[in-house]
Amino acid sequence: MSSSRDLLLFIVLAALWGSAFMAINAGLEYFPPVLFAAFRYDVAAVVMLGYAALVVEDPIPRTRGEWTLVAIGGLLLIAAYHVFLFVGESDPHVTSAVAAVLVSLSPVLTTVFARGFLPSERLTAIGTVGLIVGLVGVAVLTRPDPGNLLGDGTVPKLLVFLAAAAFALGTVLTRTVDAELEIETMEAWSMAIGAAVMHLVSVGLDESIGEVVWSLEAVLALGYLSIGASAIGFLVFFDLLERLGPIEINLVSYVAPVFAALSGWVFLSEAITPATIVGFLFIFAGFLLVKRDAIRAEVARQRSTR
């Protein structure tokens, strides 16, 4: 980290995004899962659209390429990611820590998808080993039983894995589009489109607003996810991304599970199991192997600027 301010913001971001997994689990007691995700981004989209209108000269996408970026963001980074995540977390076997650890595989999967869609990207032999190590971590967490694949939370945990894959794929696809769009504009419109898509999915799953149990806890969970984790969290993320670059900011994925585990333990009495810790260590080791060249280059750059 280049300054104490960046370090503080990094910790704040990790805390916001890590504790969001706890807030999801807490809110799922009161909302159908996909409708809950849609409500979250209804609020977040309004906040971000207002913010984009204030800070961006032209907050509306204009070209086909710009709308393509927004569509990728809305469909993959927002809708697919949150549908899989919220449905997965609705199972009691998927604790806040487990969900956060599985999502932390996303940076590793990003490298894999980049190899297929970005010709300049290559996954080396050691990078392949890193991917395998990361997937071992997923296996440790899901512990699939060939004789009972539908039991013990295996399928919900795999849904969270699919959430990480959707986010990774969306991240890569946005880099294939020949268009530039202000981050605030892209995120605001992606949130709006993602929320609309999730409402359609919710209707398709026969979820009903009548199933919502409005309570103080429900409002707090929804408000925290919409304002804290989404609106404020993304603004902190954009601020850090500009100064730290993608390598350092990726490390948020590996600090967030600590806050997810602690907040889940404090507020929801969720146990932190040895399998969760071991799975996290495998996934983080996979990240280090896949990103070793970029990490080495970033360390050298930081030393040269001192």
Side-chain angles (χ1 to χ4, degrees):
M1 300 292 164
S2 57
S3 69
S4 57
R5 177 178 178 274
D6 287 346
L7 177 60
L8 177 60
L9 287 176
F10 182 91
I11 294 173
V12 167
L13 181 60
L16 286 171
W17 283 2
S19 56
F21 293 96
M22 175 277 298
I24 292 171
N25 272 343
L28 285 169
E29 294 289 327
Y30 307 96
F31 296 92
V34 179
L35 187 60
F36 185 21
F39 282 163
R40 170 185 179 177
Y41 279 96
D42 288 337
V43 178
V46 170
V47 173
M48 287 300 295
L49 284 168
Y51 179 76
L54 289 174
V55 302
V56 178
E57 184 176 345
D58 184 4
I60 301 175
R62 300 294 180 182
T63 68
R64 179 181 297 179
E66 289 174 350
W67 279 110
T68 300
L69 284 175
V70 168
I72 292 171
L75 293 174
L76 290 174
L77 300 180
I78 303 297
Y81 171 72
H82 288 90
V83 167
F84 287 131
L85 176 62
F86 277 57
V87 173
E89 280 205 65
S90 65
D91 187 278
H93 290 91
V94 184
T95 65
S96 307
V98 167
V101 170
L102 285 168
V103 168
S104 72
L105 188 64
S106 184
V108 178
L109 294 174
T110 298
T111 302
V112 176
F113 286 125
R115 186 185 183 191
F117 291 95
L118 300 171
S120 60
E121 301 282 348
R122 290 291 181 270
L123 193 63
T124 64
I126 295 179
T128 301
V129 172
L131 171 63
I132 294 172
V133 170
L135 292 176
V136 169
V138 175
V140 170
L141 281 167
T142 58
R143 288 177 292 178
D145 178 4
N148 186 23
L149 287 177
L150 298 180
D152 298 327
T154 298
V155 171
K157 291 172 185 175
L158 290 177
L159 288 176
V160 179
F161 171 78
L162 288 177
F167 194 90
L169 178 60
T171 300
V172 170
L173 290 180
T174 58
R175 293 163 57 191
T176 67
V177 179
D178 186 18
E180 292 186 5
L181 190 62
E182 294 287 348
I183 292 294
E184 295 86 354
T185 300
M186 177 184 170
E187 287 296 336
W189 286 96
S190 293
M191 287 176 177
I193 290 176
V197 171
M198 286 188 288
H199 277 293
L200 292 175
V201 173
S202 176
V203 171
L205 294 175
D206 204 26
E207 294 180 348
S208 167
I209 195 170
E211 300 175 57
V212 177
V213 179
W214 292 106
S215 66
L216 177 61
E217 291 82 1
V219 173
L220 288 175
L222 180 60
Y224 182 76
L225 288 170
S226 302
I227 306 301
S230 297
I232 296 175
F234 274 113
L235 292 177
V236 174
F237 174 80
F238 300 147
D239 184 47
L240 286 175
L241 180 62
E242 184 177 350
R243 290 195 304 279
L244 301 183
I247 300 302
E248 283 194 67
I249 202 65
N250 263 341
L251 294 176
V252 167
S253 298
Y254 300 98
V255 181
V258 176
F259 289 96
L262 290 175
S263 59
W265 175 62
V266 171
F267 292 102
L268 303 178
S269 300
E270 294 177 340
I272 304 172
T273 67
T276 302
I277 297 172
V278 172
F280 169 77
L281 292 175
F282 270 105
I283 290 173
F284 184 57
F287 168 79
L288 294 178
L289 289 172
V290 169
K291 296 289 188 180
R292 72 196 185 287
D293 290 337
I295 293 170
R296 191 182 299 118
E298 181 65 19
V299 170
R301 186 184 70 83
Q302 291 289 341
R303 287 176 176 173
S304 66
T305 58
R306 290 176 182 173

